Each structure stands twice: as C-alpha cells, then as structure tokens.
Amino acid sequence: MPKPKMAVLRPDDTRIDEAVCYLQSLDVSPIANPMLTICPTGQAPQQAEYCIFTSSTGVELAEEQGWHQDGTTVCAVGRQTATTLRNCGYSVDVIPSTFTSTGLVEELANEVEGKTVEIARSAHGSDVLIRGLEEAGASVHETYLYRLKRPDTAGQSVKLAVDGELDGILFTSPKTVEHFFEIATERDALSPLQCELEETVIGAIGAPTERAVRRHGGSVDIIPARADFRRLAEDTVSHI
C-alpha cells in the first residue's frame, strides 16, 4: 500500500522542515508547499502595563528587536506562544484557558480598566482583542511585528488537490487557507477543488482556521484538542 500523500503548508522557515521530518516519521509522504512567508516590520512592542503575544513568531521578533519585559504583565494566546516566551527569557503571567482572542478578553476583562495594553502580533489579526479590551476600559495599542505574504513558489498542493492526488491537507492558520483558495481562484479551479476536497481529509488547527476553510466551501475532518502541529498531524494521519 503506498504511503498517504499529505500537503503541509507551514511557513517557509524551519517550521516546514520540521513538519516534513515529523510527517515522514509517521510514514506519510509529505508534500511541502509553504503558503506563508514571514516579513518582519522591524518594529518592537511599545511598553505598556500589559503586553499580549499571539504567536511564537511575534515573540521571537520582539526578542530580536531587544524588547524588555520591565514589569509588564505578559499574556500569551496558546501554550506554544507561552513556551517560546519562556525560552526567550520572559515570564508568562496570563494564558487563557481557551486559546483564542475571545478567551483572552474574557480572562482580562475584569482587570484592565484604566490600564495600557500593547498587542504585539502580525498585521493580519482580527479586531476581537482590540474591541473587547477597549470595551473593558483599557487603552489599547497595536504593533505590527510582521506581515504574512504568499510565496511565489506556492501552488503545487493546489494542483495536486484539484487532480485528486492528495489524501490529506494540514492547515495551520486562516492565512494559509486564504492563500490556498486564492491560488485556486486565480487558476479558475475553485469549483473542481471544492469537489475534490470532499474526498480529502482536512486537518485544521483551531476554530479560526476551521472557519476559514468553511468560508471557502470546504469542510474540516480533524481539529486537534490541543493547538499543536504534531497533534494535528497525528490525528489526521490516524483518520486517513
């Protein structure tokens, strides 16, 4: 029996290499087709009483820019972000029990009135955090640490999906979903793609990524209980 073919769309840095190695260890034939390039802005988070990080990438870029905690209450959306913060020498004061922007707003709503809050993240985040924290009485500032662009090399996975040659696809963020379906639309292949995806096992990390897939006419088979790539890969491979 041939190995299942699984497209992995992680950013074109060490994450795609690590993903390929892990999928190979699961006896899968990985199709590495990054849908994201990280483009740092060179900005650093502003000092505030609270600072919120929503991704490991943002933490690493903040450290590169020399950001110091200096008594700031640091909040992390998700365990991976929290782990990266600790690995970079920062303490983590708040991790919401629900790893979403809404969960963090609920966690902080009763303590940020009259406080300054810095949100350090990509240029593509939703306004849920800003709106929710401002409604709770906080003075909110947002710094874009990086932008996400579609690599020129993206597209192989879309062709394979349209041709019915993929057993599974792993989506790890809403932006990877957008770029994937954007390519199909540009190639006038959206309808055949949507048809073929009905026979393809789709794995997605988190509710926002699942919603992005559904917005584009797809359905998600696997959402891991923990927002972790390895768990996503294991669950999707098991399903296949």
Side-chain angles (χ1 to χ4, degrees):
M1 180 177 175
K3 294 180 180 181
K5 283 186 181 179
M6 185 173 294
V8 56
L9 315 176
R10 303 215 79 186
D12 58 354
D13 51 26
T14 58
R15 280 171 287 186
I16 192 68
D17 299 326
E18 292 166 358
V20 166
C21 289
Y22 193 66
L23 287 170
Q24 288 172 336
S25 77
L26 298 177
D27 207 26
V28 167
S29 178
I31 306 298
N33 192 210
M35 286 286 158
L36 295 177
T37 292
I38 308 297
C39 302
T41 62
Q43 300 296 308
Q46 290 191 6
Q47 293 305 135
E49 291 166 281
Y50 288 76
C51 187
I52 296 170
F53 291 95
T54 62
S55 71
S56 293
T57 299
V59 174
E60 291 164 352
L61 292 174
E63 183 194 32
E64 288 177 14
Q65 293 300 318
W67 183 75
H68 296 287
Q69 190 166 1
D70 292 337
T72 297
T73 298
V74 171
C75 311
V77 177
R79 287 196 185 96
Q80 286 184 312
T81 305
T83 297
T84 304
L85 279 160
R86 295 187 183 106
N87 290 343
C88 290
Y90 303 116
S91 66
V92 181
D93 304 292
V94 179
I95 306 174
S97 53
T98 303
F99 299 154
T100 63
S101 296
T102 301
L104 184 57
V105 169
E106 292 172 352
E107 194 91 17
L108 297 177
N110 294 326
E111 60 182 88
V112 295
E113 184 174 3
K115 306 290 187 180
T116 56
V117 179
E118 169 75 347
I119 302 174
R121 60 180 181 178
S122 82
H124 311 281
S126 75
D127 63 353
V128 171
L129 270 177
I130 296 174
R131 187 174 65 248
L133 292 171
E134 286 181 340
E135 288 175 356
S139 175
V140 182
H141 181 269
E142 182 180 29
T143 296
Y144 296 151
L145 301 180
Y146 59 101
R147 301 180 186 280
L148 301 170
K149 294 185 179 179
R150 193 178 91 193
D152 294 336
T153 54
Q156 178 195 15
S157 58
V158 177
K159 181 181 186 304
L160 291 173
V162 170
D163 292 342
E165 295 184 23
L166 292 179
D167 298 291
I169 304 173
L170 301 178
F171 290 109
T172 52
S173 72
K175 207 67 179 173
T176 61
V177 176
E178 291 176 21
H179 288 169
F180 184 85
F181 283 94
E182 184 179 81
I183 292 169
T185 301
E186 291 169 359
R187 295 179 178 179
D188 199 24
L190 183 58
S191 182
L193 172 66
Q194 290 168 335
C195 289
E196 288 296 338
L197 289 184
E198 294 177 7
E199 305 299 323
T200 308
V201 178
I202 306 298
I205 285 185
T209 305
E210 180 203 13
R211 288 195 295 269
V213 174
R214 286 195 281 106
R215 277 199 308 272
H216 289 87
S219 61
V220 173
D221 302 288
I222 299 296
I223 304 175
R226 188 174 69 248
D228 173 81
F229 176 79
R230 291 193 171 202
R231 184 67 178 270
L232 172 69
E234 292 163 5
D235 290 355
T236 306
V237 170
S238 294
H239 190 86
I240 291 173

